[in-house]
């Protein structure tokens, strides 16, 4: 089957609310801690190793990066949480940008929260979950690096996240062996078809 995300392309990055593009179409946010494997997942989703830059220093993304899947449907890659090397002022700017985006953006249809399956639901993840819930935005828990745990631990972590959140879906993935990406694509296409 053809990968519907194959032609996903980087458009531009935004650091201030005033630079956001027109509020139309469908947008899904990709969020997660700096080392949660979000960039690798985005590359695996599109079968394109060069789509999102993967840095040896986590937290290099310091702007909201817009990727177009198809006309009218975009994925927005958020800066990884905890990018202290960018300086406090940038973090502060990002906070207000994100708050404004959640409060006013009609195109926002859902959020993917990427978490390392070995350490899900860290306080910073819970903050993002709270933000989604306070604005009544559907969110999906994406548990990354599933190749690093046993099937038993994987099942336990999925159960934990299911019990402790209101995620509309929990998807366990591995960018290394491509496990779970068929499910993740289906979930993302679901936002397009709402």
């Amino acid at each position: 089957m053809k990968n519907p995300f194959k032609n996903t392309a980087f458009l531009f990055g935004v650091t201030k609310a005033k630079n956001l593009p027109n509020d139309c179409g469908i947008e899904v946010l990709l969020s997660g801690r700096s080392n949660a494997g979000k960039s690798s997942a985005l590359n695996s989703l599109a079968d394109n190793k060069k789509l999102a830059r993967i840095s040896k220093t986590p937290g290099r993304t310091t702007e909201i990066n817009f990727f177009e899947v198809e006309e009218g449907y975009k994925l927005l890659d958020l800066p990884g949480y905890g990018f202290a090397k960018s300086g406090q002022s940038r973090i502060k700017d990002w906070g207000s940008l994100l708050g404004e985006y959640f409060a006013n953006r009609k195109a926002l249809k859902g959020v993917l929260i990427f978490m390392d399956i070995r350490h899900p639901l860290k306080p910073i993840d819970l903050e993002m979950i709270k933000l989604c819930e306070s604005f009544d935005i559907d969110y999906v828990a994406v548990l990354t690096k599933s190749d690093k745990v046993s099937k038993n631990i994987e099942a336990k972590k999925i159960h934990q996240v299911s019990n402790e959140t209101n995620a509309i879906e929990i998807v366990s993935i591995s960018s290394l062996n491509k496990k779970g990406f068929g499910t993740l694509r289906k979930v993302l296409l679901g936002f397009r078809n709402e």
Side-chain angles (χ1 to χ4, degrees):
M1 188 183 115
K2 187 173 178 291
N3 179 357
F5 292 86
K6 188 85 179 157
N7 296 322
T8 300
F10 173 73
L11 292 177
F12 45 74
V14 168
T15 53
K16 291 188 168 58
K18 66 177 185 189
N19 297 332
L20 286 167
N22 289 341
D23 189 0
C24 59
I26 291 160
E27 293 174 355
V28 177
L29 279 186
L30 312 180
S31 70
R33 291 171 65 222
S34 295
N35 55 355
K38 189 162 47 80
S39 296
S40 301
L42 183 55
N43 289 346
S44 293
L45 192 69
D47 288 327
N48 179 351
K49 287 183 181 148
K50 295 182 177 159
L51 183 62
R53 282 193 320 236
I54 298 169
S55 169
K56 298 235 183 317
T57 332
R60 285 287 298 281
T61 312
T62 53
E63 55 193 7
I64 299 181
N65 286 323
F66 281 70
F67 293 87
E68 187 170 59
V69 177
E70 60 189 30
E71 194 173 342
Y73 185 23
K74 296 180 188 76
L75 300 177
L76 278 58
D77 187 19
L78 282 183
Y81 320 138
F83 54 105
K85 289 193 174 68
S86 311
Q88 286 303 316
S89 65
R90 188 62 68 85
I91 292 169
K92 198 172 77 235
D93 290 349
W94 178 56
S96 64
L97 169 61
L98 200 54
E100 202 165 320
Y101 180 84
F102 267 83
N104 303 315
R105 199 76 173 168
K106 306 264 187 310
L108 175 60
K109 299 301 178 205
V111 178
L112 266 52
I113 302 174
F114 289 83
M115 297 178 274
D116 185 324
I117 195 164
R118 297 166 296 178
H119 325 283
L121 304 176
K122 292 273 191 188
I124 197 92
D125 301 317
L126 296 173
E127 275 183 45
M128 178 54 81
I129 286 169
K130 205 157 84 182
L131 188 63
C132 292
E133 290 179 348
S134 64
F135 287 103
D136 205 19
I137 303 290
D138 285 340
Y139 62 93
V140 175
V142 183
L143 303 179
T144 62
K145 308 184 186 183
S146 66
D147 53 280
K148 296 190 184 296
V149 297
S150 67
K151 288 259 182 280
N152 188 24
I153 300 278
E154 181 183 25
K156 278 185 179 162
K157 295 294 186 179
I158 290 169
H159 185 68
Q160 178 196 354
V161 173
S162 174
N163 278 346
E164 295 179 29
T165 73
N166 296 310
I168 59 163
E169 194 96 35
I170 299 162
V171 185
S172 171
I173 64 168
S174 165
S175 296
L176 193 69
N177 60 28
K178 305 300 180 235
K179 175 180 166 278
F181 280 92
T183 306
L184 188 58
R185 288 182 191 113
K186 270 188 201 138
V187 168
L188 281 166
L189 292 174
F191 287 119
R192 183 190 66 180
N193 301 331
E194 276 179 2

